[in-house]
Amino acid sequence: MSNVKMQQNTISKITPILKQIEERVERHQAKLLAAFQKYRVSEAHLQSSTGYGYDDIGRQTLEQIIAELFGGESALVRPNIVSGTHAIAACLYGALRPGDEWIALTGRPYDTLFKVIGSPHDGTGSLSDLGIRYHEIGLTDEYRVDWSEFQQKVNHKTKLIAIQRSRGYSNRPSFTITEIAKMITQIRKILPNAIVFVDNCYGEFVEDQEPLHVGADIIAGSLIKNLGGGLAKSGGYIVGRRALVELASSRLVAPGLGIEVGATHGYLADFYQGLFLAPHVVGEALKGMVFASALFEDEGYTVSPTYQEKRTDIIQQIQLDSEEKLITFCRAIQAASPINAYVQPEPSVIPGYTDPVIMAAGTFVQGASIELSADGPLREPYTVYLQGGLTYAHVKVALKQALHFLKKYNKR
Ligand SMILES: *Cc1c(COP(=O)(O)O)cnc(C)c1O
């Protein structure tokens, strides 16, 4: 079959899935519009504050809007949260005290959290260093929560249970809101008073509901992923129960200061407009990932999720089976980027990773993974993690180019 014909087949196959995505975008867009109108967002809200940032009406209103949309009592949406990891760490440091214990329920957390967790007496001020004990429950062979191990690890000191929604860079599937809801029901049966924290990175606006809607207490994420809509230049968010958000803000800033202060400098207009665009941009990225999944599956590659599987994040895994193909793929994505397209990515050793990693990220905002980016560790089965895409068209152009590069490589 010719390439053009093949891609037409891919497109017709995914059309019903794309339609579902578009319908969800419209539902989110309507909710967002209603929230903007309810809170009477005006030009004044887009003007950022300076100095201490007291009475920053734009910041306060944005936080109310996001709290309401995500099902929380209160929120922090701030440019001075430097990353997703920082937002997550603020939640954990806010809620946990020396002597408390906490459990990662969904296996190994995202790599950047290893140093936050730390180890006892490591002298770094990590959670473990402060005497907060950590337990990790590995997933079963079918990537399910191991409840019998959980039962063994809980005791009267267990204060917080952490769930990671997205697969991150692991081989397991992401956990949908329905699956998270079941986990929370089960946790409440065993530990009615535990705090349930969800790392919501990459999940925002992918489904109709967010983890707080199904019983989580506090969630966190990055603004240079889904929620910033591609326009936020930095920042993170925390949403949840008022008392927990306040505790997180005390760790983020200082006790008694967190919620009330924090100048927004020049960020607010981008935050508002980025939030407004976020459902659409997430939809574009999702359409791109569905296309990638179908296209590469048709070419005989193993993909996860498959194009018709339910999604809860914007990540697509493609198993490329050789080091050369992984490198070729990432170079093709870089070469199809708007920024730094002339740069050729090389595998390199990154602290915290055991194998060298290759990354493609020709993004407007440094490291923004709501923009099209691809990366993968150089180890079997040479899986590439693809995510983001501000426009569906860009993802299609880039993926066709990647396939073309791989075919040229095969002929050699
Ligand atoms: C991206 C991500 C993080 C960390 O976010 P950074 O902004 O890179 O610090 C944590 N957890 C998951 C699942 C992520 O995808």
Side-chain angles (χ1 to χ4, degrees), residues 47-121:
Q47 312 308 317
S48 295
S49 58
T50 58
Y52 294 119
Y54 285 120
D55 303 317
D56 184 329
I57 180 78
R59 184 193 71 217
Q60 289 165 352
T61 304
L62 183 68
E63 290 179 342
Q64 278 176 322
I65 289 173
I66 288 183
E68 183 165 310
L69 286 170
F70 279 31
E73 291 170 353
S74 145
L76 289 166
V77 182
R78 305 284 170 120
N80 63 316
I81 300 181
V82 303
S83 67
T85 307
H86 189 194
I88 295 166
C91 294
L92 298 172
Y93 278 100
L96 295 164
R97 294 290 173 274
D100 288 342
E101 299 193 6
W102 66 295
I103 297 176
L105 187 69
T106 47
R108 199 115 237 247
Y110 196 75
D111 297 64
T112 55
L113 289 165
F114 295 172
K115 291 210 166 140
V116 176
I117 298 164
S119 52
H121 312 294

Side-chain angles (χ1 to χ4, degrees), residues 224 230 233 333-334 336-341 359-375 387-390 394:
I224 62 167
K233 304 296 183 287
I333 298 296
Q334 184 77 35
S337 297
I339 308 296
N340 290 342
M359 300 188 166
T363 55
F364 290 92
V365 173
Q366 188 194 95
S369 40
I370 187 60
E371 299 183 50
L372 184 62
S373 45
D375 31 64
Q387 64 269 318
L390 296 179
H394 176 210

Side-chain angles (χ1 to χ4, degrees), residues 159-180:
K159 179 130 168 232
L160 180 144
I161 311 299
I163 293 170
Q164 184 179 307
R165 177 174 175 181
S166 170
R167 68 185 68 208
Y169 297 122
S170 71
N171 232 339
R172 64 142 167 110
S174 302
F175 290 115
T176 62
I177 294 294
T178 308
E179 286 161 336
I180 291 172

Side-chain angles (χ1 to χ4, degrees), residues 227-381:
L227 198 60
L231 291 187
K233 304 296 183 287
S234 85
Y237 75 92
I238 293 167
V239 197
R241 274 170 41 205
R242 191 175 308 282
L244 293 171
V245 173
E246 249 165 58
L247 286 167
S249 83
S250 291
R251 280 309 304 230
L252 190 68
V253 186
L257 284 182
I259 296 249
E260 307 295 332
V261 300
T264 39
H265 308 285
Y267 287 92
L268 276 181
D270 282 346
F271 283 8
Y272 273 99
Q273 198 176 357
L275 174 64
F276 181 70
L277 289 179
H280 171 71
V281 171
V282 168
E284 295 294 283
L286 282 171
K287 285 156 87 175
M289 296 308 109
V290 169
F291 175 78
S293 182
L295 185 69
F296 276 75
E297 190 179 54
D298 288 349
E299 287 290 316
Y301 292 92
T302 302
V303 296
S304 173
T306 59
Y307 76 92
Q308 69 276 58
E309 251 174 283
K310 187 177 165 75
R311 284 168 195 263
T312 193
D313 66 17
I314 58 165
I315 299 182
Q316 179 64 46
Q317 259 178 277
I318 305 170
Q319 193 179 308
L320 294 168
D321 299 316
S322 84
E323 180 173 320
E324 292 74 19
K325 283 188 178 175
L326 175 59
I327 294 171
T328 302
F329 184 96
C330 289
R331 287 185 175 162
I333 298 296
Q334 184 77 35
S337 297
I339 308 296
N340 290 342
Y342 59 88
V343 173
Q344 178 157 293
E346 295 287 344
S348 65
V349 178
I350 295 175
Y353 293 81
T354 34
D355 302 286
V357 177
I358 184 158
M359 300 188 166
T363 55
F364 290 92
V365 173
Q366 188 194 95
S369 40
I370 187 60
E371 299 183 50
L372 184 62
S373 45
D375 31 64
L378 267 68
R379 63 165 175 254
E380 291 199 349

